[in-house]
Amino acid sequence: MSATLIDGKAFAAGVREKVANATAALKASHDITPGLAVVLVGDDPASEIYVRNKKKMTEEVGMQSFDYHLPASTTREELLAKVDELNSNPEVNGILVQLPLPNKDDENIVINAIDPEKDVDGFHVINSGKLATGQDGLVPCTPLGCLMLLKDTLGDLSGKHAVVIGRSNIVGKPMSQLLLNESCTVTTVHSRTRHIKEETKRADILVAAAGKPEMVEADWIKPGVVIIDVGINRIALPEGKSKLVGDVNMEEVAETAAAITPVPGGVGPMTIACLLHNTLKATCIQHQIPFPLGA
Ligand code: GUN
């Protein structure tokens, strides 16, 4: 194998350490402890594990964690009342409503009810509008983590051809906009794209966020590409076993790519690290204190 493995686990630990140091400094200078509220509706087992991890890491960096587990039967009005309560609580600086919600129609309404300055997911139209127009705001955690890994691997991204596979509001769209803001030439491809391999083969940077196990194969890439694999797919193995794989077939691309994030241990740990980064940033915005960790 010739591709370098991009160690997201180690990089994320470094981000969390910087957040922890800045959190301690904020406490010492202003007597402020950032607080992150997470709202989980219903009982999706994968979301429950994710929320448990978030709580542990929030406390590890010295922030306050507020957790609300509401039943799947929670009405839109009840959920909006919870968001209102958190918007008015000065101890809560960041609000995350875990998606998907049991009722898909509630998602945009609930997200847009969050105070944009507390929107640590960066999903509110105010924050997505800021990202689209190149203004400073809160940026979605997974694409922010991908960008940090890309800059650490490649330095300046200006002029590079980036191809993003996927157009979700959580990853694909904000990722394309972040790369455009870095002066990349950006192509977004998705399930309806014709001749998808012709597009991905032109990429200097390939971000795979399609949610399709091992979709990217050897003939999808050009030599020297840097690949960020956002996919986390559990696939069945014989004898009732299973394993996690990304959207990229690692064995196939290993000889040709210059660098790639592994699954697990690549992008996954960066998401929570960036959530903590965003919670610190949100706290600084609300108290009009300069953010010590840059954009
Ligand atoms: N579900 C999957 N990823 C995310 C995320 O980054 N934020 C929220 N709120 N829900 C998610």
mmCIF file with all atom_site columns, all heavy atoms in Angstrom, residues 50 96-100 121 123 142 170 271, ligand 1:
data_model
loop_
_atom_site.group_PDB
_atom_site.id
_atom_site.type_symbol
_atom_site.label_atom_id
_atom_site.label_alt_id
_atom_site.label_comp_id
_atom_site.label_asym_id
_atom_site.label_entity_id
_atom_site.label_seq_id
_atom_site.pdbx_PDB_ins_code
_atom_site.Cartn_x
_atom_site.Cartn_y
_atom_site.Cartn_z
_atom_site.occupancy
_atom_site.B_iso_or_equiv
_atom_site.pdbx_formal_charge
_atom_site.auth_seq_id
_atom_site.auth_comp_id
_atom_site.auth_asym_id
_atom_site.auth_atom_id
_atom_site.pdbx_PDB_model_num
ATOM   1   N N   . TYR A 1 50  ? -23.997 7.717  19.902 1.00 0.00 ? 50  TYR A N   1
ATOM   2   C CA  . TYR A 1 50  ? -23.347 8.963  19.493 1.00 0.00 ? 50  TYR A CA  1
ATOM   3   C C   . TYR A 1 50  ? -23.542 10.041 20.560 1.00 0.00 ? 50  TYR A C   1
ATOM   4   O O   . TYR A 1 50  ? -22.602 10.734 20.952 1.00 0.00 ? 50  TYR A O   1
ATOM   5   C CB  . TYR A 1 50  ? -23.956 9.394  18.146 1.00 0.00 ? 50  TYR A CB  1
ATOM   6   C CG  . TYR A 1 50  ? -23.265 10.536 17.475 1.00 0.00 ? 50  TYR A CG  1
ATOM   7   C CD1 . TYR A 1 50  ? -21.904 10.493 17.214 1.00 0.00 ? 50  TYR A CD1 1
ATOM   8   C CD2 . TYR A 1 50  ? -23.971 11.674 17.104 1.00 0.00 ? 50  TYR A CD2 1
ATOM   9   C CE1 . TYR A 1 50  ? -21.271 11.563 16.597 1.00 0.00 ? 50  TYR A CE1 1
ATOM   10  C CE2 . TYR A 1 50  ? -23.342 12.736 16.496 1.00 0.00 ? 50  TYR A CE2 1
ATOM   11  C CZ  . TYR A 1 50  ? -21.994 12.675 16.242 1.00 0.00 ? 50  TYR A CZ  1
ATOM   12  O OH  . TYR A 1 50  ? -21.367 13.737 15.640 1.00 0.00 ? 50  TYR A OH  1
ATOM   13  N N   . LEU A 1 96  ? -27.914 21.292 20.058 1.00 0.00 ? 96  LEU A N   1
ATOM   14  C CA  . LEU A 1 96  ? -27.893 20.330 18.950 1.00 0.00 ? 96  LEU A CA  1
ATOM   15  C C   . LEU A 1 96  ? -29.123 19.444 19.061 1.00 0.00 ? 96  LEU A C   1
ATOM   16  O O   . LEU A 1 96  ? -29.342 18.824 20.100 1.00 0.00 ? 96  LEU A O   1
ATOM   17  C CB  . LEU A 1 96  ? -26.616 19.476 19.038 1.00 0.00 ? 96  LEU A CB  1
ATOM   18  C CG  . LEU A 1 96  ? -26.440 18.419 17.947 1.00 0.00 ? 96  LEU A CG  1
ATOM   19  C CD1 . LEU A 1 96  ? -24.976 18.239 17.610 1.00 0.00 ? 96  LEU A CD1 1
ATOM   20  C CD2 . LEU A 1 96  ? -27.036 17.078 18.355 1.00 0.00 ? 96  LEU A CD2 1
ATOM   21  N N   . VAL A 1 97  ? -29.935 19.429 18.039 1.00 0.00 ? 97  VAL A N   1
ATOM   22  C CA  . VAL A 1 97  ? -31.069 18.497 17.974 1.00 0.00 ? 97  VAL A CA  1
ATOM   23  C C   . VAL A 1 97  ? -30.638 17.376 17.043 1.00 0.00 ? 97  VAL A C   1
ATOM   24  O O   . VAL A 1 97  ? -30.375 17.603 15.850 1.00 0.00 ? 97  VAL A O   1
ATOM   25  C CB  . VAL A 1 97  ? -32.344 19.198 17.451 1.00 0.00 ? 97  VAL A CB  1
ATOM   26  C CG1 . VAL A 1 97  ? -33.481 18.194 17.321 1.00 0.00 ? 97  VAL A CG1 1
ATOM   27  C CG2 . VAL A 1 97  ? -32.741 20.354 18.369 1.00 0.00 ? 97  VAL A CG2 1
ATOM   28  N N   . GLN A 1 98  ? -30.530 16.178 17.600 1.00 0.00 ? 98  GLN A N   1
ATOM   29  C CA  . GLN A 1 98  ? -30.004 15.066 16.810 1.00 0.00 ? 98  GLN A CA  1
ATOM   30  C C   . GLN A 1 98  ? -30.967 14.717 15.665 1.00 0.00 ? 98  GLN A C   1
ATOM   31  O O   . GLN A 1 98  ? -32.174 14.560 15.876 1.00 0.00 ? 98  GLN A O   1
ATOM   32  C CB  . GLN A 1 98  ? -29.795 13.849 17.736 1.00 0.00 ? 98  GLN A CB  1
ATOM   33  C CG  . GLN A 1 98  ? -29.160 12.637 17.090 1.00 0.00 ? 98  GLN A CG  1
ATOM   34  C CD  . GLN A 1 98  ? -27.705 12.838 16.705 1.00 0.00 ? 98  GLN A CD  1
ATOM   35  O OE1 . GLN A 1 98  ? -27.003 13.686 17.254 1.00 0.00 ? 98  GLN A OE1 1
ATOM   36  N NE2 . GLN A 1 98  ? -27.235 12.060 15.747 1.00 0.00 ? 98  GLN A NE2 1
ATOM   37  N N   . LEU A 1 99  ? -30.411 14.599 14.465 1.00 0.00 ? 99  LEU A N   1
ATOM   38  C CA  . LEU A 1 99  ? -31.193 14.194 13.293 1.00 0.00 ? 99  LEU A CA  1
ATOM   39  C C   . LEU A 1 99  ? -30.856 12.743 12.935 1.00 0.00 ? 99  LEU A C   1
ATOM   40  O O   . LEU A 1 99  ? -29.759 12.303 13.243 1.00 0.00 ? 99  LEU A O   1
ATOM   41  C CB  . LEU A 1 99  ? -30.863 15.109 12.100 1.00 0.00 ? 99  LEU A CB  1
ATOM   42  C CG  . LEU A 1 99  ? -31.107 16.612 12.312 1.00 0.00 ? 99  LEU A CG  1
ATOM   43  C CD1 . LEU A 1 99  ? -30.729 17.390 11.053 1.00 0.00 ? 99  LEU A CD1 1
ATOM   44  C CD2 . LEU A 1 99  ? -32.551 16.889 12.706 1.00 0.00 ? 99  LEU A CD2 1
ATOM   45  N N   . PRO A 1 100 ? -31.704 11.973 12.317 1.00 0.00 ? 100 PRO A N   1
ATOM   46  C CA  . PRO A 1 100 ? -33.040 12.376 11.867 1.00 0.00 ? 100 PRO A CA  1
ATOM   47  C C   . PRO A 1 100 ? -34.034 12.434 13.023 1.00 0.00 ? 100 PRO A C   1
ATOM   48  O O   . PRO A 1 100 ? -33.893 11.702 14.004 1.00 0.00 ? 100 PRO A O   1
ATOM   49  C CB  . PRO A 1 100 ? -33.403 11.255 10.883 1.00 0.00 ? 100 PRO A CB  1
ATOM   50  C CG  . PRO A 1 100 ? -32.637 10.051 11.350 1.00 0.00 ? 100 PRO A CG  1
ATOM   51  C CD  . PRO A 1 100 ? -31.364 10.588 11.953 1.00 0.00 ? 100 PRO A CD  1
ATOM   52  N N   . ASP A 1 121 ? -24.553 23.149 15.143 1.00 0.00 ? 121 ASP A N   1
ATOM   53  C CA  . ASP A 1 121 ? -24.548 22.281 13.962 1.00 0.00 ? 121 ASP A CA  1
ATOM   54  C C   . ASP A 1 121 ? -24.358 23.091 12.679 1.00 0.00 ? 121 ASP A C   1
ATOM   55  O O   . ASP A 1 121 ? -24.073 22.514 11.624 1.00 0.00 ? 121 ASP A O   1
ATOM   56  C CB  . ASP A 1 121 ? -25.899 21.557 13.843 1.00 0.00 ? 121 ASP A CB  1
ATOM   57  C CG  . ASP A 1 121 ? -25.854 20.133 14.356 1.00 0.00 ? 121 ASP A CG  1
ATOM   58  O OD1 . ASP A 1 121 ? -24.817 19.477 14.182 1.00 0.00 ? 121 ASP A OD1 1
ATOM   59  O OD2 . ASP A 1 121 ? -26.864 19.692 14.931 1.00 0.00 ? 121 ASP A OD2 1
ATOM   60  N N   . PHE A 1 123 ? -26.715 24.414 10.951 1.00 0.00 ? 123 PHE A N   1
ATOM   61  C CA  . PHE A 1 123 ? -27.758 24.011 9.995  1.00 0.00 ? 123 PHE A CA  1
ATOM   62  C C   . PHE A 1 123 ? -28.819 25.096 9.791  1.00 0.00 ? 123 PHE A C   1
ATOM   63  O O   . PHE A 1 123 ? -29.628 25.014 8.872  1.00 0.00 ? 123 PHE A O   1
ATOM   64  C CB  . PHE A 1 123 ? -28.490 22.738 10.465 1.00 0.00 ? 123 PHE A CB  1
ATOM   65  C CG  . PHE A 1 123 ? -27.637 21.496 10.495 1.00 0.00 ? 123 PHE A CG  1
ATOM   66  C CD1 . PHE A 1 123 ? -28.035 20.382 11.244 1.00 0.00 ? 123 PHE A CD1 1
ATOM   67  C CD2 . PHE A 1 123 ? -26.450 21.413 9.779  1.00 0.00 ? 123 PHE A CD2 1
ATOM   68  C CE1 . PHE A 1 123 ? -27.273 19.228 11.268 1.00 0.00 ? 123 PHE A CE1 1
ATOM   69  C CE2 . PHE A 1 123 ? -25.675 20.254 9.810  1.00 0.00 ? 123 PHE A CE2 1
ATOM   70  C CZ  . PHE A 1 123 ? -26.091 19.164 10.555 1.00 0.00 ? 123 PHE A CZ  1
ATOM   71  N N   . THR A 1 142 ? -19.119 17.997 10.517 1.00 0.00 ? 142 THR A N   1
ATOM   72  C CA  . THR A 1 142 ? -18.412 16.981 9.726  1.00 0.00 ? 142 THR A CA  1
ATOM   73  C C   . THR A 1 142 ? -17.619 17.614 8.579  1.00 0.00 ? 142 THR A C   1
ATOM   74  O O   . THR A 1 142 ? -16.421 17.342 8.437  1.00 0.00 ? 142 THR A O   1
ATOM   75  C CB  . THR A 1 142 ? -19.394 15.890 9.231  1.00 0.00 ? 142 THR A CB  1
ATOM   76  O OG1 . THR A 1 142 ? -20.001 15.302 10.381 1.00 0.00 ? 142 THR A OG1 1
ATOM   77  C CG2 . THR A 1 142 ? -18.684 14.811 8.434  1.00 0.00 ? 142 THR A CG2 1
ATOM   78  N N   . ILE A 1 170 ? -26.242 18.034 5.526  1.00 0.00 ? 170 ILE A N   1
ATOM   79  C CA  . ILE A 1 170 ? -25.334 17.826 6.666  1.00 0.00 ? 170 ILE A CA  1
ATOM   80  C C   . ILE A 1 170 ? -23.879 17.793 6.201  1.00 0.00 ? 170 ILE A C   1
ATOM   81  O O   . ILE A 1 170 ? -22.996 18.313 6.868  1.00 0.00 ? 170 ILE A O   1
ATOM   82  C CB  . ILE A 1 170 ? -25.710 16.530 7.431  1.00 0.00 ? 170 ILE A CB  1
ATOM   83  C CG1 . ILE A 1 170 ? -27.096 16.680 8.063  1.00 0.00 ? 170 ILE A CG1 1
ATOM   84  C CG2 . ILE A 1 170 ? -24.671 16.164 8.477  1.00 0.00 ? 170 ILE A CG2 1
ATOM   85  C CD1 . ILE A 1 170 ? -27.565 15.489 8.885  1.00 0.00 ? 170 ILE A CD1 1
ATOM   86  N N   . THR A 1 271 ? -15.859 14.803 13.917 1.00 0.00 ? 271 THR A N   1
ATOM   87  C CA  . THR A 1 271 ? -17.178 15.432 14.030 1.00 0.00 ? 271 THR A CA  1
ATOM   88  C C   . THR A 1 271 ? -17.417 15.949 15.457 1.00 0.00 ? 271 THR A C   1
ATOM   89  O O   . THR A 1 271 ? -17.797 17.100 15.659 1.00 0.00 ? 271 THR A O   1
ATOM   90  C CB  . THR A 1 271 ? -18.287 14.455 13.592 1.00 0.00 ? 271 THR A CB  1
ATOM   91  O OG1 . THR A 1 271 ? -18.058 14.128 12.226 1.00 0.00 ? 271 THR A OG1 1
ATOM   92  C CG2 . THR A 1 271 ? -19.670 15.074 13.705 1.00 0.00 ? 271 THR A CG2 1
HETATM 93  N N1  . GUN B 2 .   ? -27.110 13.186 12.427 1.00 0.00 ? 1   GUN B N1  1
HETATM 94  C C1  . GUN B 2 .   ? -26.034 12.754 11.731 1.00 0.00 ? 1   GUN B C1  1
HETATM 95  N N2  . GUN B 2 .   ? -25.046 13.680 11.754 1.00 0.00 ? 1   GUN B N2  1
HETATM 96  C C2  . GUN B 2 .   ? -25.522 14.717 12.472 1.00 0.00 ? 1   GUN B C2  1
HETATM 97  C C3  . GUN B 2 .   ? -24.967 15.971 12.850 1.00 0.00 ? 1   GUN B C3  1
HETATM 98  O O1  . GUN B 2 .   ? -23.830 16.333 12.521 1.00 0.00 ? 1   GUN B O1  1
HETATM 99  N N3  . GUN B 2 .   ? -25.785 16.767 13.609 1.00 0.00 ? 1   GUN B N3  1
HETATM 100 C C4  . GUN B 2 .   ? -27.044 16.400 13.983 1.00 0.00 ? 1   GUN B C4  1
HETATM 101 N N4  . GUN B 2 .   ? -27.765 17.255 14.711 1.00 0.00 ? 1   GUN B N4  1
HETATM 102 N N5  . GUN B 2 .   ? -27.585 15.240 13.645 1.00 0.00 ? 1   GUN B N5  1
HETATM 103 C C5  . GUN B 2 .   ? -26.821 14.409 12.899 1.00 0.00 ? 1   GUN B C5  1
#
